[in-house]
Amino acid sequence: MRVAMWQAWLAGIAVSAVALASLAAAQHSANSQSASSPAGDIERGKYLVNDVAMCGECHTPRNANGELKYDAWLQGATTWVRPVAPIQPWADTAPPLAGMPSFTDTQFATVLEQGIGPEGETLRPPMHIYHMHHDDAKAIIAYLKSLPAGNR
Ligand code: HEC
């Protein structure tokens, strides 16, 4: 009788270990799936744009006090920073990104992954030359497309 209870107890432990292992495996495959999903991960793109690369600092217009206009998020802006010593060429405007009105996915990915403009041109400062991974560029594109295009 005692032996049987021990056996049942051990079997129980074995079953939970197997269950935990398969749960971990399922979790892992769910994670790797979302990282390489063909459409790009909107939430990740939002995080990269708004919390890591800070695209809004330049691509969102500002009010007279220099504060970002959140109701025109990423709708293109006049460049608000100037170099202390002249740098040529310097871009006076940053184009709209919300809704991705002016670029194809491939053009946009080339900007973010290689730092080359849609027509093969050099990007002018203060735009950064990014060398993003393709999945990050795809996520950013998915997020920008999810935003309403502005009326500017
Ligand atoms: C420090 C300011 C700044 C930041 C931050 C910034 N940009 Fe820009 N961006 C610019 C300016 C200025 C231009 C215009 C460059 C030009 O005309 O050569 C530009 C141009 C672009 C272009 C168009 C390139 C072309 O040649 O037409 C794209 C696309 C772009 N930015 C996307 C982004 C994205 C996405 C982010 C965030 C991941 C970002 N930018 C962050 C300032 C910035």
Side-chain angles (χ1 to χ4, degrees):
M1 188 58 177
R2 269 195 111 83
V3 171
M5 276 181 67
W6 265 107
Q7 277 172 342
W9 189 71
L10 279 176
I13 288 185
V15 167
S16 353
V18 168
L20 272 178
S22 55
L23 198 70
Q27 187 69 41
H28 181 260
S29 76
N31 285 346
S32 44
Q33 239 174 31
S34 69
S36 61
S37 85
D41 180 341
I42 292 180
E43 277 307 309
R44 180 169 174 74
K46 182 177 181 184
Y47 161 72
L48 291 170
V49 166
N50 298 335
D51 299 314
V52 180
M54 316 299 282
C55 318
E57 287 285 322
C58 301
H59 287 267
T60 299
R62 291 168 186 268
N63 65 20
N65 299 327
E67 297 153 347
L68 290 168
K69 290 183 174 173
Y70 289 97
D71 58 348
W73 194 245
L74 296 172
Q75 291 181 10
T78 305
T79 311
W80 67 297
V81 282
R82 291 276 174 274
V84 286
I87 292 180
Q88 280 304 329
W90 186 262
D92 293 329
T93 56
L97 304 179
M100 264 184 60
S102 8
F103 308 98
T104 65
D105 288 16
T106 309
Q107 287 173 329
F108 211 95
T110 308
V111 171
L112 297 181
E113 292 169 35
Q114 299 173 35
I116 300 170
E119 316 292 335
E121 73 274 24
T122 309
L123 301 179
R124 292 173 296 171
M127 174 60 185
H128 299 296
I129 303 300
Y130 294 105
H131 294 288
M132 293 192 188
H133 290 172
H134 186 56
D135 276 347
D136 292 333
K138 269 197 322 194
I140 287 177
I141 289 168
Y143 167 59
L144 294 176
K145 282 183 165 175
S146 79
L147 298 176
N151 44 15
R152 288 164 51 92

